[in-house]
Amino acid sequence: MKEKMKMLMSIIFLSLSVVFLIVNAHISSVFYSKFTEQVPVKYKAKIITEGNNLVFSPGQRAVIKFKLINEGSEVWDSSKPDPVKLSYVILNREMKKVDRTENEIVIPGKISYYFFVELDLPLVIPSKRGVYYVEFSLKRENNAVYRLPEKVRIKVE
């Protein structure tokens, strides 16, 4: 009778161990799925400007201050031989480039997922009055890897 009891206890503990492993694997799988849903791409970013009322004089040299948040899985590391750069261009109301020149700055430091960097963006404001937009892209090895959906609106008076 003792042997049958030992055997029964062994089977129960073995069954509980298997159930525990299955539940643990399921929990891990759900966590991994949620993480990959949050960071599905290597390059993604978001811009937060410090002011919504960006008004400038025609032809003025200006600086726009903003935060650039890394929302992708790739770490932006300025110490690498070919770092991630922020490229920007000024567009008119029809979303056409005002100037053919595409400016870019190296994103400084080492910015991991969901960290941000504060940047000062030097701009030469268009010489004609009106509303313009600054469009941004992330570049790697001289190729655009991500175009930010947000555009910064500037007004020239």
Side-chain angles (χ1 to χ4, degrees), residues 23-142:
V23 168
N24 196 9
H26 176 71
I27 291 170
S28 298
S29 171
V30 168
F31 173 78
Y32 182 74
S33 296
K34 284 184 180 180
F35 179 75
T36 54
E37 285 172 11
Q38 288 177 354
V39 190
V41 294
K42 285 178 78 169
Y43 297 100
K44 188 176 179 185
K46 182 178 180 177
I47 285 184
I48 300 174
T49 56
E50 290 187 4
N52 291 335
N53 192 17
L54 299 172
V55 181
F56 302 100
S57 300
Q60 175 184 350
R61 291 189 180 274
V63 174
I64 297 176
K65 296 179 180 290
F66 62 90
K67 291 179 182 174
L68 183 66
I69 302 169
N70 183 353
E71 292 187 335
S73 62
E74 184 73 16
V75 175
W76 305 336
D77 190 350
S78 62
S79 67
K80 288 187 176 180
D82 191 23
V84 176
K85 298 173 187 164
L86 181 66
S87 171
Y88 58 98
V89 64
I90 298 177
L91 306 173
N92 61 17
R93 279 188 174 214
E94 291 79 38
M95 298 300 158
K96 295 191 176 167
K97 290 182 184 179
V98 173
D99 186 5
R100 293 198 180 269
T101 315
E102 194 168 313
N103 302 298
E104 56 186 39
I105 56 174
V106 173
I107 299 170
K110 191 172 183 178
I111 314 301
S112 301
Y113 169 68
Y114 229 63
F115 282 83
F116 68 90
V117 61
E118 292 181 355
L119 295 172
D120 294 339
L121 186 74
L123 284 178
V124 177
I125 303 302
S127 57
K128 292 184 180 177
R129 298 179 191 280
V131 174
Y132 296 89
Y133 299 90
V134 182
E135 180 179 67
F136 300 94
S137 297
L138 295 178
K139 285 181 112 178
R140 189 75 185 264
E141 299 175 359
N142 289 326

Side-chain angles (χ1 to χ4, degrees), residues 5-16:
M5 191 62 139
K6 282 183 181 179
M7 183 91 108
L8 183 62
M9 292 302 283
S10 295
I11 291 172
I12 290 173
F13 281 117
L14 180 62
S15 300
L16 285 174

